[in-house]
Amino acid sequence: MAGIILLIALVVFVIAWIAFANLQARVTGLQLQIQALKKRIDTLSPLQNSETVKNQSTQTAVESVAHVQHDIAKQQNAMAPSVIQPTLAPQTPISSAELVTQTTPKVIPNIISTKTQQYTEQKQIDKNSLSYRFTQWLIKGNPVAKVAIIILFFGLSYLLKYSIDHGLLSPEIRILGSLCLGLVLLTIGWRLRKKKELYALILQGGAIGVLYFTLFAAFKLYALVPMLLTFALLVIVCSTSVMFAVLQRAISLAIIACVGGYLAPILLSTGSGNHIALFSYYLLISCAILVISFWQSWRVLNLIGFIFTYVVALLWGMSNFKAEFYLECQIFIIANMLIYGVLAVLLSVRNTTKEPNQNAFDLFLLLSVPLLAFCLQYSITVQFDYAPAFSALGFGLFYLVGAFITLRRWKNQAKQLALYGLAIGLGFTTLAVPLALTAQSTALVWLLEGTAISYVTLSQKQYRFSWAGVIIVLLGTISSSVAANDSFSNSSFILLYGVTSAILLFNACLWHYYRALHSSSEPLKILFIILAALAWSVWIIGSIERLSTSSNYIVQPIIACYVAAVWLWFMIGRKIEWSVMRYAVIALWPVLFLSLANNMLFYIHDYYAGLWGLSWLFAFLSGYIYLYLDRDNLAKCNTMLVSTLHISLLWIVLAWLYYNISWLLSFLPWGFEVVKASILMIFTCIVILVCFVLKQYRRYPLQMYQKQYWLIGLLPVALYLLFSLITGLYSSGQIVYWTYIPFINPLEESAGFTLMMLAVWLHQVSKLLVVQNRVQTNIITPSLLISLFIISLIFLWGNSIILRTISQLLDLSWSFYVLWHNNIVQVVLSLVWTLSALILIVIAHRYVLRNLWFVGAILQVIVVLKLVFVDSVELDGLMRAFVFIGVALLMLVIGYLAPIPPRAKHETP
């Protein structure tokens, strides 16, 4: 079954390849015709469309006429120098329009003749169709005689039927009379061959038909003649008919003789099953057809002989073949393959006489004969081990050698047939592989064979034939995918897909190297590069899965292998100047993303992978090295792609670091949540600090892509820091077995670092967003908003520090309700807020910062509102007086030391 499937695949391959070759030839011919028509149009269009060109043509014509007149005058003077020439009357000048009118009709007949010639050629092509030829045969060439012969057959049939029904004539008389009639018609037809050639051929054809049916009736219907004698007489009639056909060059007689000869053993069959006699007889007729080919190139005879021979052989083999008939069947198959598939085609090519559809006949025989012969060969050799494989190999070698000899012997006449023979030989050689080897070995052999064919044909600039190599490589790829199963050993899997991926990559590079040979090289090399990438992925992932002892830690080796693979592709692409392969390193991005998602989904951590965990670091480093090395090539692409690569790689690195650091911090004991949050905040701040340092020292990538990094890449980092600051406000800052010390504890130190880095990030973002060289006339500027935002965060964190300190000193519960309703807390907050306002206002007055002064003033207003609505309600007695007095004194100091600064000259009220 597998052999049949592969054979069908081979048939489809050969037919597709041949169809493509013919289509390519037709396209080339059409292109040449189009070019010729364009030249003709370019020649005619100036006369029809351009007045300027028309005038130029007119001037040229006038000059030509003048030159001709001058030459005639010189000749006349030379011939009769002594004769005085009469004075010529002045010539009337010819206008441009008249000259164009006189010259244009000369162009029109050329156009008409060209169109007529094209119509005639098209009509001639239509004449080659079978329906047209049959119609012409019927209505031309003495149709009366043809109809008379047909009527004669019907008349004889009716006469015989009447005589049989009424017993008028005995069987012997009927057979003898019919035989005499056939001989008389044959004799008359032979004698009239020179006087009335067509009439004589009609008589001879009718006579041969009469003789065939007479002998058949004598043996089959009446048993008057023994079988051997009948068979001998049929051979004589067939041979005589063939001789007459060759001598008179009449293909109709040859067709009648061959058809009658092939039908004879079928009609005379007694069911004895004597296959040796049948094969010998058919082989004799086939040899006769071959002999005819020496003198006449009648391809129809070759086709008739091929059809009868192989159809009868198939019908006989399906019901009568036995193992003991192997030798004679083998001889019959090989002999007929040589006769019809090789010698008949070569003899037809050798003949210089052209006939309609000769290429179609030759191609049909050249392809159909080996296919049917191999089908018969397969059916008789399938009983032996490896016999079908050796048969296919023998067929392949035979056609390869035959193609080589044909090309050397008839280089000009049979070049196309030699190429077809080469394709058939390669096809059978390829087919021998799956018939003898396993699917894995078949895939490897096909891949190597197809690559070798592509390399040789492309290097010889045989583009169309290189498609055979492409198809064989694709078949090898399909075979390798089919061969993969769980029963494969690890070494077999690694070898198969390693070779497959390497060969597909080589084919992609090969078609890129010869890309100038044909336009379809572009889709082919893209196809191979995609298949190579898939094969590499299957090879890397499948091999590691098979070799790994634990399925939880295969991500790290996969990443390491991908790093090595993509850099190999990058180097190859750089060497052969193929930008697509230089983009192979971009494959690390999806690989890293999927690997990180897999680790997070299944809670896999790189610590337990040992040294393989360093593969992540190599992958991250490779990504940034690639973005740096190939920055010029990437700059030619879409800038959005480059920005996406930078930002996505940064996010993957940060996500991997956060995931692993969080996992390591999860081993801290209970009560150390503050330490964990502080470490994560510090790590996040370090990211902003590193980017700032790179920007300050103009290092890659912040040197070129600082806008992308500050505005997009670090945005999640800033949001995380802001979220951490807000959530940190509600933290008590307590660590188990640690004493809380204000300002000297992990929470507040990390918060201070976070505030600084947020300020840095906001400052860089504001510089990038503000329009350059523009005077700010508004009071509210981005720098003011950033300052207010940072001051607000500092203010909130300062209050949280105060609350945590009071909670620790007074041993209060860390609860908003408890702290808010505590008198000491309210007094301290009011005084601290007033003191903060004092500091802000003094600084604003000292440096003439009106905006900052207004911030301090707003804070004073908040303190006053707090005194009125909160302290007056929550406090009582001495506490209320103390807080009111303290706030009042501080506000007096503010009013004395720091009045509102003057307005700057460029500021508006």
Side-chain angles (χ1 to χ4, degrees):
M1 187 64 182
I4 296 175
I5 295 174
L6 291 171
L7 180 61
I8 295 173
L10 178 64
V11 174
V12 173
F13 150 64
V14 174
I15 294 175
W17 182 81
I18 292 168
F20 176 79
N22 292 332
L23 180 61
Q24 189 73 16
R26 293 182 181 180
V27 170
T28 304
L30 290 176
Q31 291 176 349
L32 294 175
Q33 293 180 7
I34 291 172
Q35 293 177 359
L37 289 175
K38 285 182 177 179
K39 292 181 179 178
R40 189 175 300 155
I41 290 173
D42 293 338
T43 304
L44 297 177
S45 59
L47 293 176
Q48 300 174 359
N49 301 324
S50 177
E51 186 66 27
T52 304
V53 177
K54 186 183 299 183
N55 295 333
Q56 294 176 355
S57 302
T58 304
Q59 184 65 27
T60 303
V62 172
E63 293 177 356
S64 301
V65 171
H67 283 300
V68 171
Q69 292 177 352
H70 180 68
D71 293 340
I72 294 173
K74 288 176 64 177
Q75 292 177 3
Q76 291 176 352
N77 293 332
M79 293 174 62
S82 59
V83 180
I84 300 175
Q85 300 295 331
T87 304
L88 296 175
Q91 298 292 330
T92 305
I94 302 175
S95 63
S96 302
E98 292 176 351
L99 184 59
V100 171
T101 306
Q102 295 175 8
T103 56
T104 302
K106 297 180 180 180
V107 180
I108 301 300
N110 294 332
I111 302 176
I112 296 175
S113 62
T114 303
K115 297 296 182 181
T116 305
Q117 182 180 1
Q118 294 177 355
Y119 175 77
T120 306
E121 292 176 356
Q122 183 66 30
K123 189 175 180 180
Q124 185 65 31
I125 294 173
D126 295 336
K127 287 183 179 181
N128 293 333
S129 61
L130 295 177
S131 60
Y132 180 84
R133 293 171 63 189
F134 175 76
T135 305
Q136 295 300 314
W137 177 87
L138 186 64
I139 65 176
K140 291 184 178 180
N142 202 340
V144 176
K146 297 174 184 178
V147 174
I149 287 294
I150 297 174
I151 295 174
L152 177 62
F153 272 101
F154 279 101
L156 292 175
S157 300
Y158 293 147
L159 178 61
L160 290 174
K161 184 177 183 301
Y162 180 82
S163 62
I164 293 172
D165 293 339
H166 295 80
L168 299 178
L169 298 174
S170 63
E172 291 82 0
I173 296 177
R174 299 172 200 160
I175 295 300
L176 184 60
S178 193
L179 184 63
C180 292
L181 177 62
L183 293 175
V184 169
L185 291 176
L186 184 62
T187 303
I188 296 174
W190 175 253
R191 288 183 175 275
L192 295 177
R193 68 186 185 277
K194 294 182 179 180
K195 295 180 180 180
K196 296 183 177 181
E197 180 179 357
L198 183 59
Y199 184 80
L201 291 176
I202 295 173
L203 293 181
Q204 293 175 35
I208 293 171
V210 170
L211 293 176
Y212 272 128
F213 285 106
T214 300
L215 294 175
F216 168 74
F219 170 76
K220 199 72 175 178
L221 299 180
Y222 305 116
L224 297 177
V225 184
M227 187 187 69
L228 290 178
L229 180 59
T230 305
F231 188 78
L233 292 174
L234 287 175
V235 171
I236 293 173
V237 172
C238 179
S239 303
T240 305
S241 304
V242 169
M243 182 185 66
F244 282 7
V246 173
L247 292 176
Q248 301 175 84
R249 296 183 178 180
I251 189 174
S252 57
L253 289 182
I255 292 175
I256 295 173
C258 290
V259 171
Y262 280 111
L263 287 175
I266 300 175
L267 299 175
L268 302 179
S269 176
T270 59
S272 61
N274 189 355
H275 63 282
I276 296 179
L278 176 66
F279 291 166
S280 301
Y281 175 70
Y282 272 16
L283 192 60
L284 182 63
I285 299 179
S286 299
C287 292
I289 293 176
L290 182 63
V291 171
I292 295 175
S293 300
F294 276 98
W295 290 280
Q296 295 293 331
S297 178
W298 290 337
R299 290 169 171 84
V300 177
L301 288 184
N302 300 334
L303 182 63
I304 292 173
F306 161 72
I307 293 174
F308 271 103
T309 300
Y310 281 93
V311 169
V312 172
L314 286 172
L315 294 175
W316 175 87
M318 286 188 295
S319 57
N320 298 311
F321 177 74
K322 297 179 182 178
E324 53 267 23
F325 299 159
Y326 172 78
L327 180 60
E328 48 265 33
C329 292
Q330 187 72 267
I331 296 173
F332 177 75
I333 293 172
I334 295 175
N336 282 279
M337 186 186 73
L338 290 174
I339 292 173
Y340 293 109
V342 180
L343 298 178
V345 175
L346 291 179
L347 289 174
S348 299
V349 171
R350 183 184 62 86
N351 199 302
T352 57
T353 304
K354 301 296 182 181
E355 60 178 288
N357 302 318
Q358 61 180 16
N359 293 330
F361 283 119
D362 292 339
L363 189 60
F364 179 79
L365 288 176
L366 190 65
L367 298 178
S368 301
V369 170
L371 291 178
L372 288 179
F374 182 75
C375 290
L376 296 174
Q377 186 75 252
Y378 182 85
S379 62
I380 67 175
T381 58
V382 70
Q383 55 186 324
F384 308 112
D385 294 335
Y386 299 105
F390 283 109
S391 297
L393 183 61
F395 272 67
L397 294 177
F398 173 77
Y399 273 92
L400 288 175
V401 175
F404 176 75
I405 296 174
T406 303
L407 192 61
R408 291 293 299 272
R409 179 63 179 84
W410 298 285
K411 185 175 183 179
N412 297 327
Q413 298 91 339
K415 181 178 180 180
Q416 196 71 16
L417 290 178
L419 292 178
Y420 289 146
L422 182 61
I424 295 172
L426 290 175
F428 278 111
T429 306
T430 304
L431 181 61
V433 178
L435 294 175
L437 304 177
T438 61
Q440 177 187 2
S441 302
T442 299
L444 294 175
V445 173
W446 278 355
L447 288 169
L448 294 172
E449 178 188 359
T451 304
I453 293 173
S454 298
Y455 176 76
V456 173
T457 52
L458 287 176
S459 61
Q460 297 298 321
K461 297 183 180 181
Q462 295 291 334
Y463 170 75
R464 288 184 295 175
F465 200 73
S466 61
W467 275 86
V470 172
I471 295 176
I472 294 175
V473 171
L474 294 178
L475 289 176
T477 306
I478 296 172
S479 180
S480 64
S481 62
V482 173
N485 52 57
D486 295 333
S487 61
F488 258 24
S489 62
N490 294 338
S491 59
S492 299
F493 181 88
I494 295 172
L495 175 64
L496 174 62
Y497 278 95
V499 174
T500 301
S501 56
I503 289 179
L504 289 174
L505 179 61
F506 178 80
N507 277 272
C509 298
L510 181 66
W511 282 96
H512 173 74
Y513 183 78
Y514 290 101
R515 60 190 179 276
L517 190 59
H518 199 271
S519 59
S520 62
S521 300
E522 291 295 327
L524 280 178
K525 68 179 185 180
I526 296 300
L527 171 64
F528 277 119
I529 202 67
I530 293 174
L531 293 177
L534 294 175
W536 276 80
S537 299
V538 173
W539 179 45
I540 292 173
I541 298 174
S543 301
I544 293 175
E545 284 183 349
R546 288 170 175 267
L547 296 176
S548 178
T549 56
S550 175
S551 59
N552 292 330
Y553 301 103
I554 63 174
V555 171
Q556 296 79 8
I558 289 175
I559 293 175
C561 292
Y562 263 102
V563 170
V566 296
W567 278 114
L568 174 64
W569 283 40
F570 175 80
M571 296 301 177
I572 295 174
R574 202 171 185 179
K575 182 69 176 177
I576 64 176
E577 298 180 354
W578 189 6
S579 58
V580 173
M581 287 194 64
R582 295 173 65 175
Y583 298 145
V585 186
I586 299 178
L588 285 178
W589 273 251
V591 170
L592 293 174
F593 174 77
L594 294 175
S595 301
L596 183 59
N598 176 78
N599 286 0
M600 290 182 175
L601 184 63
F602 297 101
Y603 303 102
I604 301 172
H605 302 278
D606 301 294
Y607 174 78
Y608 297 107
L611 294 178
W612 283 111
L614 297 176
S615 59
W616 286 93
L617 301 180
F618 288 118
F620 297 147
L621 187 61
S622 296
Y624 279 108
I625 291 175
Y626 167 71
L627 292 175
Y628 177 76
L629 291 178
D630 211 33
R631 60 187 182 278
D632 296 334
N633 189 35
L634 291 173
K636 301 176 183 177
C637 303
N638 191 355
T639 55
M640 183 65 69
L641 172 63
V642 181
S643 302
T644 303
L645 292 176
H646 278 275
I647 301 307
S648 58
L649 183 58
L650 175 65
W651 287 351
I652 292 173
V653 172
L654 296 178
W656 180 80
L657 289 173
Y658 179 84
Y659 174 69
N660 285 280
I661 293 174
S662 300
W663 174 75
L664 290 174
L665 294 175
S666 65
F667 290 97
L668 292 174
W670 177 82
F672 280 75
E673 286 77 11
V674 175
V675 177
K676 178 181 179 180
S678 301
I679 294 175
L680 289 175
M681 291 171 67
I682 293 172
F683 154 71
T684 311
C685 291
I686 291 174
V687 175
I688 296 179
L689 180 61
V690 170
C691 291
F692 179 74
V693 173
L694 292 175
K695 185 258 179 187
Q696 289 297 110
Y697 286 94
R698 300 182 180 275
R699 295 289 185 263
Y700 185 85
L702 270 297
Q703 177 188 3
M704 301 175 61
Y705 305 101
Q706 57 176 321
K707 189 173 183 179
Q708 289 84 347
Y709 273 84
W710 288 111
L711 296 180
I712 303 175
L714 295 179
L715 180 61
V717 176
L719 293 176
Y720 175 78
L721 289 178
L722 181 60
F723 175 77
S724 300
L725 283 175
I726 295 174
T727 56
L729 293 172
Y730 300 95
S731 176
S732 63
Q734 294 179 353
I735 304 173
V736 178
Y737 307 118
W738 283 24
T739 302
Y740 176 81
I741 302 175
F743 301 105
I744 307 176
N745 62 81
L747 179 63
E748 290 159 8
E749 290 178 351
S750 61
F753 192 21
T754 301
L755 287 169
M756 286 191 295
M757 291 300 103
L758 271 179
V760 171
W761 180 76
L762 289 171
H763 178 66
Q764 297 297 327
V765 169
S766 66
K767 289 199 304 183
L768 292 172
L769 293 178
V770 172
V771 180
Q772 300 295 327
N773 300 326
R774 179 179 177 183
V775 178
Q776 297 293 334
T777 59
N778 297 326
I779 297 177
I780 301 177
T781 61
S783 60
L784 175 60
L785 293 176
I786 293 171
S787 301
L788 291 175
F789 181 74
I790 297 299
I791 291 173
S792 300
L793 288 177
I794 295 173
F795 177 75
L796 290 175
W797 265 92
N799 285 275
S800 68
I801 293 171
I802 294 172
L803 293 176
R804 275 188 288 270
T805 303
I806 296 174
S807 174
Q808 292 290 331
L809 292 176
L810 301 180
D811 196 16
L812 298 176
S813 174
W814 182 254
S815 170
F816 177 79
Y817 180 81
V818 173
L819 295 173
W820 182 258
H821 293 283
N822 186 275
N823 294 336
I824 297 176
V825 171
Q826 293 297 339
V827 172
V828 172
L829 288 179
S830 297
L831 294 175
V832 170
W833 291 2
T834 306
L835 182 61
S836 300
L838 173 62
I839 295 172
L840 292 175
I841 289 175
V842 170
I843 294 173
H845 178 76
R846 172 71 177 79
Y847 295 100
V848 194
L849 300 174
R850 286 174 60 86
N851 295 332
L852 187 61
W853 191 93
F854 282 113
V855 172
I858 292 172
L859 186 56
Q860 290 182 57
V861 173
I862 294 173
V863 171
V864 173
L865 293 175
K866 181 178 181 296
L867 289 174
V868 175
F869 293 103
V870 178
D871 294 347
S872 61
V873 177
E874 295 291 336
L875 301 177
D876 56 357
L878 186 61
M879 283 290 184
R880 182 186 300 171
F882 177 77
V883 70
F884 271 80
I885 293 171
V887 170
L889 292 174
L890 290 174
M891 293 180 67
L892 290 173
V893 173
I894 293 171
Y896 177 75
L897 296 177
I900 183 170
R903 182 183 295 113
K905 292 182 179 181
H906 66 273
E907 290 182 350
T908 58

